[in-house]
């Protein structure tokens, strides 16, 4: 059975992951409105990944006879000055989420919660990937600067991102 402190911390993390999905979905709407459908498709995959992340915590709490509690979500930002600014915000957000995962690892260690420690290792690795993938897009957009042609090329490239894997435990999401 999961302890109360770990359960509360994971319920908080479900909120963080769903707020990530909400933020990225807002970016999808912004990118669609800008006519950048490839970037919007990339961010749609990112949104799906965040929902899969939330579901990992949801399943973990349930499997250990805990109780999931869904907390209120903050309204995400709606507009960005440019696609570069949106992706910079996504990168900063991933860094914030990495910090929340580190905090969870700390709680798991303090509570001597081995199942949580093992489950969280997946997230530690995943956050390395999450930061890397958003940072790479930021660097790509910084490199093309104000080039309209470059933006079209990047939009096409990002549109080729494969769909997110199903949200089951043990599968890459
Ligand atoms: Fe769930 Fe993008 O971190």
């Amino acid at each position: 059975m999961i302890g109360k402190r770990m359960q509360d911390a994971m319920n908080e993390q479900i909120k963080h992951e769903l707020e990530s999905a909400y933020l990225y979905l807002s970016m999808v709407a912004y990118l669609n409105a800008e006519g950048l459908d490839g970037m919007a498709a990339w961010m749609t995959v990112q949104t799906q990944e965040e929902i899969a992340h939330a579901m990992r915590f949801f399943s973990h709490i349930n499997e250990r006879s805990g109780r999931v509690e869904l907390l209120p979500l903050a309204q995400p930002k709606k507009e960005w000055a440019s696609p570069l600014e949106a992706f910079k915000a996504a990168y900063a957000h991933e860094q914030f989420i990495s910090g929340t995962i580190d905090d969870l690892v700390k709680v798991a260690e303090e509570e001597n919660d081995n199942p949580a420690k093992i489950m969280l290792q997946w997230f530690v690795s995943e956050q390395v990937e999450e930061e890397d993938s958003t940072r790479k897009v930021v660097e790509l957009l910084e490199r093309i600067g104000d080039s309209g042609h470059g933006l079209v090329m990047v939009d096409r490239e990002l549109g080729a991102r494969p769909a997110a894997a199903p949200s089951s435990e043990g599968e890459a999401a």
Side-chain angles (χ1 to χ4, degrees):
M1 179 151 190
I2 193 166
K4 170 94 171 76
R5 187 176 171 217
M6 197 71 241
Q7 174 181 290
D8 289 350
M10 285 199 179
N11 274 323
E12 190 68 28
Q13 193 64 27
I14 291 174
K15 179 178 88 104
H16 288 316
E17 300 292 347
L18 291 178
E19 280 182 344
S20 304
Y22 223 32
L23 173 65
Y24 297 149
L25 195 55
S26 188
M27 289 179 180
V28 171
Y30 161 73
L31 293 164
N32 275 146
E34 293 292 307
L36 296 163
D37 291 346
M39 292 189 197
W42 191 98
M43 208 50 97
T44 299
V45 175
Q46 192 65 30
T47 301
Q48 291 161 346
E49 286 199 359
E50 299 307 343
I51 294 168
H53 293 171
M55 289 312 296
R56 278 179 179 258
F57 287 105
F58 192 104
S59 301
H60 186 83
I61 293 171
N62 274 335
E63 283 165 8
R64 298 179 65 199
S65 306
R67 184 66 169 91
V68 168
E69 186 183 0
L70 297 177
L71 303 169
L73 304 182
Q75 183 174 17
K77 192 174 157 150
K78 186 179 163 192
E79 299 289 347
W80 287 268
S82 64
L84 172 60
E85 290 308 313
F87 277 92
K88 271 186 184 172
Y91 177 45
H93 187 73
E94 286 305 330
Q95 290 173 294
F96 163 72
I97 292 295
S98 296
T100 65
I101 297 294
D102 288 344
D103 290 345
L104 280 176
V105 170
K106 222 171 287 168
V107 173
E109 278 165 2
E110 285 168 10
E111 296 292 306
N112 200 21
D113 184 335
N114 285 319
K117 274 195 255 181
I118 291 166
M119 177 268 191
L120 287 167
Q121 285 315 301
W122 183 88
F123 277 95
V124 171
S125 307
E126 175 70 358
Q127 280 313 118
V128 173
E129 273 180 42
E130 293 276 88
E131 285 191 34
D132 184 52
S133 62
T134 45
R135 184 182 42 78
K136 277 183 178 148
V137 179
V138 168
E139 286 171 0
L140 212 53
L141 289 171
E142 278 175 341
R143 217 171 305 141
I144 62 164
D146 292 330
S147 155
H149 180 66
L151 204 61
V152 170
M153 298 293 285
V154 172
D155 189 53
R156 196 172 302 161
E157 190 181 323
L158 295 188
R161 182 180 186 181
S167 66
S168 57
E169 286 276 345
E171 272 187 76

